[in-house]
Amino acid sequence: MKNTFVISWRYQQGKKNHLVKLIAWLSIIGIALGVAVLIIGLSAMNGFERELNQRILSIVPQVEITSYGLPQEPIKDYPALQKALQRDSAVIATAPYISFQAMLKNGTHLKIAQIRGIDPSVQNHVSSLDKFVLNNDWQHFSQEGGLILGMGIAKALQLKVGDWTSLLLAQKNNNQQLAEPQEIRLKITGILQLHGQLDHVYALMLLNEAQQLLGYSKKEVSGIELKVSRPFLVHQMTYPNLQNYPQVLQANTWIDQFGYMYDDIRLIRMVMYLAMVLVIAVACFNIVSTLIMAVKDKRGDIAILRTLGADSRFIRRIFIYYGLIAGMKGCILGILLGILVSLNLTNLIKGLEYVIQHKFLSGGIYFIDFLPSELHWQDVVLVLSCALLLSLVASLYPARRAAKIPPAQVLMNKG
C-alpha cells in the first residue's frame, strides 16, 4: 500500500502532458471553489441561526397570555394569573406587560410604534432587552421612566437621549367614534439597538405609566409574558393551572410570529447542501478526465510494472490514490479559503457595502442588518468527507481501466 501511494505521488509531481496538467488543475480549482463556497454558505446559515437565538428568542416574548376575543380586553387580575402560571413546571419566569400602538411625533416627523409597557425589575427574568439598550441607559429608564426608542424610530424622528417627543394616542368619544388624539410629552431615556427589524417598530415605557395612560387599574395589563424551559416546544404546552381561570385566555407564541425564519434557514441549508454537493461532484468528476488521460500517458509505466509482478489490484490502487491526491489538494485549498473567508465574512461584507455605498440587508425589512457568520468545525469535516468520497467514486472507473491494460500489447507497440 505504501508503494502504491508513493508511485501515485510521483505521478502527480512528475512531468506530464500539458493538457493533462491543465485538466488536473481545473478539477482541483473546481473542488476548491465548491468546498470553499459550501463552508462559507453553511457558516452564514449558522450565523443567521445564532442571531435568531440571540435576538429573537432572547428579545421577543416566547409566550404571551392574553384575553381571548376582539377587541382584546385587559387581564383583570394579573397577580392571580401570574401565580397560576408560575405553578407550571414548564414556565421559568413571568412578567406583566401592556402593549398598544401609538404615533410618535417630533416636529414634522411622524412614526407609528408598538409601545410596550414593562416592569424593568421583572423584565430581565424573561428577556435580555437590557443588554441591547445603548450606554447602560436601562438604569436611567428604570428610575426616571420616559421612553426607550428603537434605533430605527430614533433615526426616523431625529431624536437622541435627552430629547422630548410627543406620543399621540387615539381616543374615542361617547359614540365610539374617533376623536382628537391625546398628546403626551415624554422624554427619551434610552435607545434600543437590535440591528434589525424590531429597531423600527419597538418602543418601551414603564408599566405604571402605560396603565395611567390607558386608564387601567393597577391590576390590569394587556398580558403576561412567559419564559419557558423548552421554547421550541411551546405549542405542546397545555397550561393545566388555567383550566378554571375566570377569564377566557389565549396563548400566542414566538413560533406564530417568527417560526418561519427557522424554517427558511433549514430549507436554505438543505438546498445549499444539495447545490454545493452537485457543484463539488461536477468538479470531482473532472478527475475522471484527468485520470483517463493520465492512464493513457502512463501506459508504458503500467506495462513495465505488470511485467515486474504488479497485479491488477496494485495498479488499481495507484490510480485511486492518484485521484484522491487530486481531490485532497482541492479540499485543502478550499478549506483554507473557506475558513479564512468565514472567519472574516461580516467585516468583508461591511467593507464591500462601504465601497459600493449599498446595504445588502436592510434593518427595516430583515430581522438583522448585517451578514453574520459562525464557523462550525463539524461542517468542515462533513464537507471534507463528502468531497473525498466523491473523489474516490470518480477515481474508480479510470483505475479499473488502468488495471485492465494488457502489458504485452503495450510493450509490442512501443517496440
Side-chain angles (χ1 to χ4, degrees), residues 246-279:
Q247 195 170 358
V248 181
L249 304 172
Q250 64 181 0
N252 302 307
T253 71
W254 71 271
I255 293 178
D256 299 327
Q257 287 183 290
F258 297 99
Y260 71 92
M261 292 184 181
Y262 279 91
D263 294 336
D264 289 349
I265 286 177
R266 290 192 185 98
L267 179 61
I268 292 170
R269 191 194 297 272
M270 287 177 59
V271 171
M272 185 173 295
Y273 266 124
L274 180 61
M276 289 301 105
V277 165
L278 290 175
V279 169

Side-chain angles (χ1 to χ4, degrees), residues 299-301 303-304 408-415:
R299 285 169 66 90
D301 292 358
I304 293 170
Q409 183 181 343
V410 174
L411 293 174
M412 282 177 63
N413 292 337
K414 287 190 77 173

Side-chain angles (χ1 to χ4, degrees), residues 93-270:
T94 64
Y97 71 90
I98 288 178
S99 182
F100 62 95
Q101 279 193 336
M103 184 81 75
L104 295 175
K105 177 184 175 184
N106 181 37
T108 58
H109 302 285
L110 296 170
K111 182 75 174 177
I112 294 177
Q114 186 70 33
I115 312 294
R116 195 171 181 89
I118 60 171
D119 181 352
S121 63
V122 296
Q123 187 64 33
N124 291 342
H125 299 152
V126 296
S127 74
S128 303
L129 276 172
D130 59 313
K131 296 178 181 177
F132 295 92
V133 176
L134 301 180
N135 303 319
N136 296 318
D137 286 328
W138 183 262
Q139 294 299 327
H140 298 151
F141 168 69
S142 303
Q143 297 165 5
E144 302 174 16
L147 273 180
I148 290 180
L149 293 184
M151 177 64 81
I153 298 175
K155 285 184 177 180
L157 297 177
Q158 299 179 4
L159 291 169
K160 60 184 184 298
V161 174
D163 292 343
W164 290 76
T165 186
S166 296
L167 187 148
L168 305 178
L169 190 63
Q171 299 288 309
K172 291 184 179 180
N173 56 27
N174 294 333
N175 297 324
Q176 296 298 307
Q177 295 177 336
L178 289 176
E180 184 178 349
Q182 180 183 0
E183 183 173 345
I184 303 97
R185 294 286 291 172
L186 291 169
K187 185 180 180 181
I188 309 303
T189 51
I191 301 295
L192 179 71
Q193 187 172 30
L194 299 168
H195 290 286
Q197 195 177 36
L198 296 178
D199 285 345
H200 297 261
V201 295
Y202 235 41
L204 306 173
M205 67 187 307
L206 292 181
L207 182 69
N208 58 356
E209 292 182 357
Q211 287 172 325
Q212 294 174 9
L213 194 61
L214 298 181
Y216 285 7
S217 71
K218 289 188 177 181
K219 289 190 175 183
E220 289 184 328
V221 293
S222 300
I224 304 292
E225 179 179 343
L226 309 182
K227 182 178 182 180
V228 298
S229 56
R230 296 188 292 178
F232 286 92
L233 300 177
V234 287
H235 280 158
Q236 297 180 15
M237 293 180 65
T238 56
Y239 312 100
N241 299 317
L242 302 184
Q243 299 299 327
N244 299 318
Y245 194 78
Q247 195 170 358
V248 181
L249 304 172
Q250 64 181 0
N252 302 307
T253 71
W254 71 271
I255 293 178
D256 299 327
Q257 287 183 290
F258 297 99
Y260 71 92
M261 292 184 181
Y262 279 91
D263 294 336
D264 289 349
I265 286 177
R266 290 192 185 98
L267 179 61
I268 292 170
R269 191 194 297 272
M270 287 177 59

